[in-house]
Amino acid sequence: MVEAERTQLPGYIRLTRSGELEERAGRAHEVLRDCVICPQECHVNRIEDELGFCRTGLLSTVSSYSPHFGEETPLVGRNGSGTIFFTNCNMRCEFCQNFEISQCGVGYAVSCEDLAGIMLRLQDRGCHNINFVSPSHVVPQILRAVAIAADRGLNIPLVYNSGGYDSVDTLRLLDGVIDIYMPDAKYGRDDVAWELSHARDYTVHMRAALVEMHRQVGDLVVRDGLAVRGMIIRHLVLPGNLANSEIVMKFIAEEISRDSYVNIMAQYHPAWRAAEGGRSPVLAALQRPITAREYEYAIRCARENGISPAFS
């Protein structure tokens, strides 16, 4: 994490003024006709409201929005991170702690104009950034909404807060638009990712996505204690080291950066399907919180790979 030296407007403002952001939004919209926005690659026509894995048609769906004070310290500041929680998800984590939103579909459909209005209201409330939570399946809608909001005065950083299961082609449409990427690096093994999150080839897609994100924005940059650009990586410690933290930390150190801002999270508790018990030995292992020793092991894995974990 480094300290920024000078003020710079977010890149999406320049892209809006040149017309490129609207052009990218148009290209992304066309992808919805045979949707491959995320690695699930459902090939449904979302413009006609056909539903694939994410159960989202043409319009994005929002569960809630507000200043949020539970995010990483560089995002929160004094007035909070302006979080927009999108309903549904391109993963189905058996232990999701926000399952009402991600799995049960709690929320309401919003037009791109309405989504732009939400961003501007959060900015008016003094939020330091706009934080898109679970955005991987609604990138076309986000692009168009940002173009509208930027024309109306949006000028704070944008945060892409995802599960890490992202398409590199889609991320390239966000180059210069997103200021701060905040992906999960959930798993080190694909078989565990499939059983726990129903995400095919998760590690392949996650690794490629994080490399692309880092190429776009680099390590985290802060100014006066607030993040202005860069990358924050989250890693949730799971019982029995199901996340394979040693593999994840080695990847971050060798293929991303040893200076990465890595938040190793200890807040796992059994939720959603994991709270119901064991349809398999892996799910049965999720029926308890993590131990102090398991958390300390993940921290040690980071440090042995030259990473200094962040504690937010």
Side-chain angles (χ1 to χ4, degrees), residues 213-254:
M213 292 174 183
H214 190 260
R215 182 195 69 79
Q216 291 183 22
V217 299
D219 293 328
L220 190 66
V221 177
V222 299
R223 183 186 304 117
D224 299 327
L226 290 171
V228 293
R229 182 176 175 82
M231 190 169 175
I232 295 171
I233 303 172
R234 288 173 163 177
H235 178 69
L236 179 66
V237 180
L238 295 177
N241 191 32
L242 283 170
N244 290 105
S245 300
E246 67 283 355
I247 299 174
V248 173
M249 296 305 148
K250 188 174 188 291
F251 156 69
I252 294 171
E254 294 183 354

Side-chain angles (χ1 to χ4, degrees), residues 15-121:
L15 294 175
T16 300
R17 290 171 179 170
S18 70
E20 183 175 346
L21 185 53
E22 186 59 39
E23 188 272 333
R24 289 195 202 175
R27 279 193 281 142
H29 178 80
E30 287 304 306
V31 177
L32 294 174
R33 292 188 187 278
D34 184 32
C35 190
V36 289
I37 286 295
C38 87
Q40 294 290 355
E41 296 186 341
C42 296
H43 292 284
V44 297
N45 187 344
R46 289 173 58 187
I47 291 175
E48 297 298 329
D49 279 329
E50 292 180 6
L51 303 183
F53 187 95
C54 71
R55 295 162 291 186
T56 302
L58 176 60
L59 297 181
S60 61
T61 308
V62 169
S63 172
S64 65
Y65 64 92
S66 66
H68 188 37
F69 295 87
E71 301 285 54
E72 281 74 358
T73 300
L75 296 179
V76 170
R78 185 171 183 176
N79 299 322
S81 177
T83 50
I84 302 174
F85 285 88
F86 289 104
T87 302
N88 300 323
C89 186
N90 70 334
M91 303 174 72
R92 292 200 183 134
C93 298
E94 299 282 354
F95 52 88
C96 183
Q97 296 171 11
N98 293 318
F99 64 88
E100 298 94 340
I101 301 170
S102 65
Q103 309 304 320
C104 299
V106 174
Y108 56 96
V110 296
S111 67
C112 294
E113 290 78 8
D114 289 339
L115 183 56
I118 288 171
M119 297 181 213
L120 292 167
R121 283 194 288 278

Side-chain angles (χ1 to χ4, degrees), residues 34-305:
D34 184 32
C35 190
V36 289
I37 286 295
C38 87
Q40 294 290 355
E41 296 186 341
C42 296
H43 292 284
V44 297
N45 187 344
R46 289 173 58 187
I47 291 175
E48 297 298 329
D49 279 329
E50 292 180 6
L51 303 183
F53 187 95
C54 71
R55 295 162 291 186
T56 302
L58 176 60
L59 297 181
S60 61
T61 308
V62 169
S63 172
S64 65
Y65 64 92
S66 66
H68 188 37
F69 295 87
E71 301 285 54
E72 281 74 358
T73 300
L75 296 179
V76 170
R78 185 171 183 176
N79 299 322
S81 177
T83 50
I84 302 174
F85 285 88
F86 289 104
T87 302
N88 300 323
C89 186
N90 70 334
M91 303 174 72
R92 292 200 183 134
C93 298
E94 299 282 354
F95 52 88
C96 183
Q97 296 171 11
N98 293 318
F99 64 88
E100 298 94 340
I101 301 170
S102 65
Q103 309 304 320
C104 299
V106 174
Y108 56 96
V110 296
S111 67
C112 294
E113 290 78 8
D114 289 339
L115 183 56
I118 288 171
M119 297 181 213
L120 292 167
R121 283 194 288 278
L122 290 169
Q123 178 173 271
D124 289 345
R125 292 179 68 175
C127 293
H128 302 293
N129 47 69
I130 301 298
N131 187 342
F132 301 118
V133 182
S134 299
S136 303
H137 58 299
V138 289
V139 169
Q141 295 87 340
I142 288 171
L143 283 167
R144 181 143 281 151
V146 170
I148 295 167
D151 269 340
R152 298 177 184 172
L154 186 72
N155 60 15
I156 55 178
L158 303 181
V159 182
Y160 187 91
N161 180 347
S162 83
Y165 195 49
D166 291 284
S167 160
V168 169
D169 286 343
T170 299
L171 291 173
R172 286 174 180 154
L173 291 170
L174 295 169
D175 192 358
V177 178
I178 296 300
D179 302 284
I180 300 160
Y181 281 104
M182 187 161 65
D184 293 331
K186 287 183 181 292
Y187 306 107
R189 286 175 41 187
D190 282 333
D191 58 337
V192 178
W194 174 253
E195 184 157 7
L196 296 187
S197 293
H198 304 274
R200 183 184 66 255
D201 299 325
Y202 175 84
T203 65
V204 174
H205 292 290
M206 178 272 288
R207 287 171 179 243
L210 267 61
V211 168
E212 173 62 18
M213 292 174 183
H214 190 260
R215 182 195 69 79
Q216 291 183 22
V217 299
D219 293 328
L220 190 66
V221 177
V222 299
R223 183 186 304 117
D224 299 327
L226 290 171
V228 293
R229 182 176 175 82
M231 190 169 175
I232 295 171
I233 303 172
R234 288 173 163 177
H235 178 69
L236 179 66
V237 180
L238 295 177
N241 191 32
L242 283 170
N244 290 105
S245 300
E246 67 283 355
I247 299 174
V248 173
M249 296 305 148
K250 188 174 188 291
F251 156 69
I252 294 171
E254 294 183 354
E255 299 187 44
I256 304 298
S257 168
R258 286 184 171 81
D259 293 322
S260 295
Y261 187 110
V262 181
N263 185 5
I264 299 177
M265 302 184 296
Q267 65 259 44
Y268 174 81
H269 63 267
W272 188 225
R273 304 297 188 196
E276 298 174 359
R279 300 193 302 274
S280 73
V282 174
L283 285 173
L286 292 175
Q287 287 188 276
R288 63 168 176 83
I290 66 168
T291 65
R293 180 173 294 180
E294 287 169 334
Y295 183 68
E296 289 164 4
Y297 173 73
I299 297 293
R300 187 166 71 251
C301 288
R303 289 177 172 156
E304 287 176 352
N305 281 283

